[in-house]
């Protein structure tokens, strides 16, 4: 009961959560699957992965683990992973983490491993940063993202791995990020904070049936990975004063499925990335073929589902569907800027619901945050071929704000079937600048003049008079 009171401090919050649970259940029948594969509009199949069964299982206690929340278990995890690494030619092994509080410094995984967290098992990240090793900056970012030079490792880390499973009976990985957040806010850290879980240059990954909470920085960060399935994962952090605690950040990843998750954090619930300015352009690895579906998300500081702002390697062929965003600052956001280069294209949004959101849909082209002064301001991103179908909302202040510019126009944006109830009467509710596209069928509130209007039969009703109308109003 204590945990319930922590999560739901009032009856109204509990009621809202139960309403969300019921609401999302009606989405399940809308999954698009053909023979176990998701098929994108361009015909590209996305293979989903199932956890592998291992021929051998180990218990952390057998390697000296003590789950008292005080004893440091780093060596126990390292010994267990080392033993499993010897079995790579025999199918690998499973490491069972039993109930208890398992304090540890960062440790690395190996290929062909299943890390299995029992119910009431909690892996705790040690809060003293001297136990967190330093790593080189990500090659597509140029430096540590917050500070020049190296960055702290993630709590659970892996590089150049294959066939990795992190799962369980809803056990937890807790980064105990409160100390990190305070030090960051008071500028007491010399290096960029580490994620909670980060897998790099790896493939065939399944993360399911666990809770991730209170990460020092981004929570779950797959970097340049392929064939990743994230399913039935709960990600939690305070919605205020937990800076940069993004939920899931697919970064230069290909062939990824994220589904059936609940995320409430202090930054973007999900942010698709692919590198930062000249470093991301040089690295040149896009994020593509990604499906995100059947999620309930919340972000009071940033957005529910974001693309960017670091998208210099490109983002394409992404389907985002059956999403409920509640009690958030923004619901859906694409953010970029001059200097990013790259592209965002072939992005499909379907079945979106916004509840108590300040701004429903945002596309922003002046997110001017750069790693250093060496970026090329003439490296202009391309934003095109984005569609929104079946958008519903209540208690929304501004349903749409699409802010292109003369140097970064936004092209071929489609809205089909949108009804959003607004909470504050404004002169410009559907806000636009330098955007071209079309609206089909019922659209409420009325779209701005930049869009061609079609009826449900696909017949043109009204041509746009201009694509460059600007009526952006930030006075929410």
């Amino acid at each position: 009961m204590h945990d319930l009171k922590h999560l739901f401090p009032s009856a109204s919050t509990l009621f809202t959560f139960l309403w969300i649970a019921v609401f999302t259940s009606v989405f399940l029948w809308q999954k698009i699957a053909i023979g176990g594969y998701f098929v994108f509009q361009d015909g590209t199949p996305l293979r989903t992965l199932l956890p592998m069964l291992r021929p051998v299982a180990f218990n952390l206690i057998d390697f000296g683990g003590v789950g008292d929340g005080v004893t440091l278990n780093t060596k126990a995890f390292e010994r267990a992973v080392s033993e499993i690494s010897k079995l790579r030619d025999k199918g690998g092994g499973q490491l069972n983490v039993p109930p208890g509080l398992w304090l540890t410094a960062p440790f690395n995984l190996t290929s062909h491993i299943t890390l299995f967290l029992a119910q009431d098992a909690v892996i705790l990240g040690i809060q003293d940063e001297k136990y967190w090793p330093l790593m080189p900056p990500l090659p597509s970012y140029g430096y540590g993202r917050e500070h020049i030079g190296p960055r702290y490792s993630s709590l659970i880390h892996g590089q150049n791995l294959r066939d990795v499973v992190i799962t369980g009976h809803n056990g937890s990985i807790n980064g105990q990020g409160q100390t990190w957040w305070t030090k960051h806010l008071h500028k007491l850290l010399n290096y960029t904070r580490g994620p909670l879980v980060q897998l790099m240059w790896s493939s065939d990954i399944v993360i399911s049936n666990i809770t991730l909470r209170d990460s020092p920085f981004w929570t779950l960060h797959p970097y340049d990975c392929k064939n990743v399935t994230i399913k039935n994962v709960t990600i939690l952090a305070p919605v205020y004063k937990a800076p940069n605690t993004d939920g899931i950040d697919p970064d230069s990843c290909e062939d990824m499925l994220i589904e059936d998750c609940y995320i409430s954090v202090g930054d973007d619930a999900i942010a698709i990335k692919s590198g930062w300015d000249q470093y991301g352009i040089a690295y040149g690895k896009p994020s593509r073929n990604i499906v995100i579906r059947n999620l309930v998300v919340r972000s009071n500081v940033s957005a529910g589902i974001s693309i960017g702002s670091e998208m210099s390697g490109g983002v394409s062929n992404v389907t985002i569907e059956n999403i409920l965003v509640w009690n958030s600052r923004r619901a859906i956001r694409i953010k970029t800027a001059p200097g990013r280069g790259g592209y965002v294209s072939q992005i499909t949004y379907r079945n979106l619901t916004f509840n108590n959101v300040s701004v429903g849909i945002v596309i922003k082209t002046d997110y001017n945050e750069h790693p250093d002064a060496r970026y090329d301001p003439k490296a202009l991103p391309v934003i095109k071929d984005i569609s929104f179908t079946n958008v519903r909302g209540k208690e929304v202040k501004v349903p749409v704000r699409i802010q292109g510019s003369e140097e970064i126009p936004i092209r071929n944006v489609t809205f089909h079937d949108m009804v959003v109830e607004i909470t504050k009467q404004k002169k410009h509710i559907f806000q636009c600048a330098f955007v071209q596209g079309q609206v089909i069928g019922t659209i409420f509130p009325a779209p701005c003049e930049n869009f061609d209007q079609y009826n449900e039969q696909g017949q043109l009703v009204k041509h746009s008079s201009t694509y460059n109308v600007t009526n952006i109003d930030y006075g929410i």
Side-chain angles (χ1 to χ4, degrees):
M1 183 59 71
H2 176 75
D3 290 341
L4 283 175
K5 288 181 179 179
H6 175 72
L7 286 173
F8 310 115
S10 68
S12 62
T13 304
L14 176 58
F15 176 80
T16 299
F17 182 83
L18 293 174
W19 177 84
I20 290 168
V22 172
F23 187 93
T24 52
S25 69
V26 304
F27 282 151
L28 298 181
W29 67 273
Q30 299 180 79
K31 295 183 181 181
I32 298 178
I34 300 176
Y37 290 75
F38 184 98
V39 179
F40 290 96
Q41 287 184 344
D42 67 355
T44 303
L46 176 69
R47 177 170 60 95
T48 60
L49 302 174
L50 296 175
M52 298 292 293
L53 296 176
R54 307 297 180 188
V56 181
F58 301 95
N59 192 303
L60 186 63
I61 293 174
D62 297 334
F63 296 89
V66 179
D68 59 3
V70 178
T71 303
L72 195 61
N73 290 282
T74 315
K75 294 298 183 183
F77 279 109
E78 291 175 344
R79 285 191 289 264
V81 171
S82 177
E83 192 67 24
I84 290 173
S85 71
K86 300 172 184 177
L87 302 172
R88 63 184 62 181
D89 295 331
K90 300 179 182 179
Q94 176 168 310
L95 174 58
N96 292 325
V97 182
L101 301 175
W102 306 92
L103 185 68
T104 182
F107 64 92
N108 294 322
L109 299 179
T110 186
S111 293
H112 310 294
I113 188 173
T114 296
L115 180 64
F116 190 97
L117 281 69
Q119 185 177 3
D120 298 323
V122 182
I123 296 177
L124 286 174
I126 192 167
Q127 293 180 297
D128 189 339
E129 66 265 26
K130 74 180 181 183
Y131 289 93
W132 291 62
L134 293 175
M135 301 182 60
L138 295 169
S140 61
Y141 284 74
Y143 74 113
R145 189 59 180 86
E146 294 179 320
H147 295 276
I148 294 174
R151 60 194 176 92
Y152 288 108
S153 169
S154 59
L155 180 64
I156 297 178
H157 193 80
Q159 296 186 20
N160 301 300
L161 304 183
R162 182 174 176 272
D163 178 21
V164 174
V165 179
I166 303 175
T167 189
H169 289 150
N170 201 33
S172 298
I173 303 172
N174 188 328
Q176 299 199 98
Q178 294 84 353
T179 299
W180 293 93
W181 308 331
T182 299
K183 289 181 178 180
H184 170 73
L185 291 170
H186 288 86
K187 303 185 185 304
L188 298 176
L189 294 172
N190 296 319
Y191 306 103
T192 296
R193 293 165 289 155
L196 189 63
V197 178
Q198 183 180 61
L199 298 175
M200 305 173 60
W201 305 302
S202 299
S203 64
D204 301 333
I205 299 162
V206 177
I207 301 174
S208 66
N209 302 321
I210 58 171
T211 294
L212 307 175
R213 65 186 311 153
D214 293 346
S215 174
F217 191 56
W218 299 344
T219 303
L220 177 53
H221 186 213
Y223 180 83
D224 198 351
C225 291
K226 188 171 183 178
N227 293 340
V228 180
T229 296
I230 301 170
K231 182 180 177 69
N232 291 331
V233 173
T234 300
I235 301 179
L236 303 172
V239 293
Y240 292 115
K241 296 184 179 179
N244 310 111
T245 49
D246 297 17
I248 305 172
D249 284 4
D251 202 337
S252 293
C253 287
E254 183 176 349
D255 299 335
M256 175 178 284
L257 172 66
I258 302 171
E259 67 176 352
D260 303 332
C261 296
Y262 177 85
I263 305 172
S264 176
V265 289
D267 208 303
D268 295 316
I270 291 181
I272 302 174
K273 303 176 181 291
S274 64
W276 201 10
D277 285 4
Q278 70 271 30
Y279 305 104
I281 294 171
Y283 192 70
K285 290 289 184 72
S287 282
R288 61 188 180 190
N289 301 348
I290 297 174
V291 176
I292 300 170
R293 64 189 182 191
N294 307 326
L295 267 59
V296 177
V297 296
R298 182 186 183 198
S299 172
N300 277 14
V301 172
S302 194
I305 311 289
S306 284
I307 297 176
S309 72
E310 310 94 331
M311 40 61 67
S312 301
V315 177
S316 67
N317 222 24
V318 177
T319 296
I320 299 168
E321 63 180 1
N322 307 340
I323 307 294
L324 172 61
V325 186
W326 69 292
N327 286 15
S328 296
R329 185 175 181 184
R330 307 172 190 91
I332 302 296
R333 180 159 73 158
I334 298 172
K335 46 185 175 176
T336 185
R340 292 288 191 272
Y343 53 87
V344 176
S345 66
Q346 293 179 286
I347 313 297
T348 300
Y349 297 90
R350 282 193 293 257
N351 306 332
L352 308 178
T353 301
F354 311 147
N355 182 20
N356 189 22
V357 170
S358 293
V359 185
I361 294 167
V362 181
I363 302 178
K364 183 177 177 64
T365 59
D366 62 350
Y367 199 85
N368 286 307
E369 186 179 85
H370 303 282
D372 53 49
R374 294 190 294 272
Y375 73 93
D376 178 7
K378 296 181 180 179
L380 301 176
V382 175
I383 313 296
K384 65 176 184 177
D385 303 334
I386 301 166
S387 67
F388 299 89
T389 303
N390 190 21
V391 181
R392 297 292 183 268
K394 63 179 182 178
E395 297 184 76
V396 177
K397 294 180 180 177
V398 176
V400 176
R401 177 179 290 147
I402 301 178
Q403 185 178 4
S405 66
E406 191 168 6
E407 59 182 355
I408 309 176
I410 299 167
R411 295 290 179 250
N412 194 29
V413 178
T414 301
F415 288 90
H416 182 196
D417 188 13
M418 175 175 175
V419 179
V420 175
E421 299 176 10
I422 57 176
T423 60
K424 186 177 181 181
Q425 191 65 38
K426 299 177 65 64
K427 181 178 179 181
H428 301 301
I429 301 169
F430 202 117
Q431 302 179 8
C432 302
F434 293 94
V435 57
Q436 172 271 326
Q438 46 278 324
V439 296
I440 303 170
T442 302
I443 302 294
F444 181 85
C448 53
E449 297 177 10
N450 306 58
F451 289 85
D452 297 331
Q453 297 184 35
Y454 292 81
N455 61 23
E456 288 285 1
Q457 290 70 44
Q459 298 167 326
L460 180 65
V461 175
K462 181 183 178 182
H463 259 308
S464 168
S465 57
T466 176
Y467 299 145
N468 299 335
V469 169
T470 298
N471 58 11
I472 303 297
D473 176 10
Y474 281 103
I476 296 177

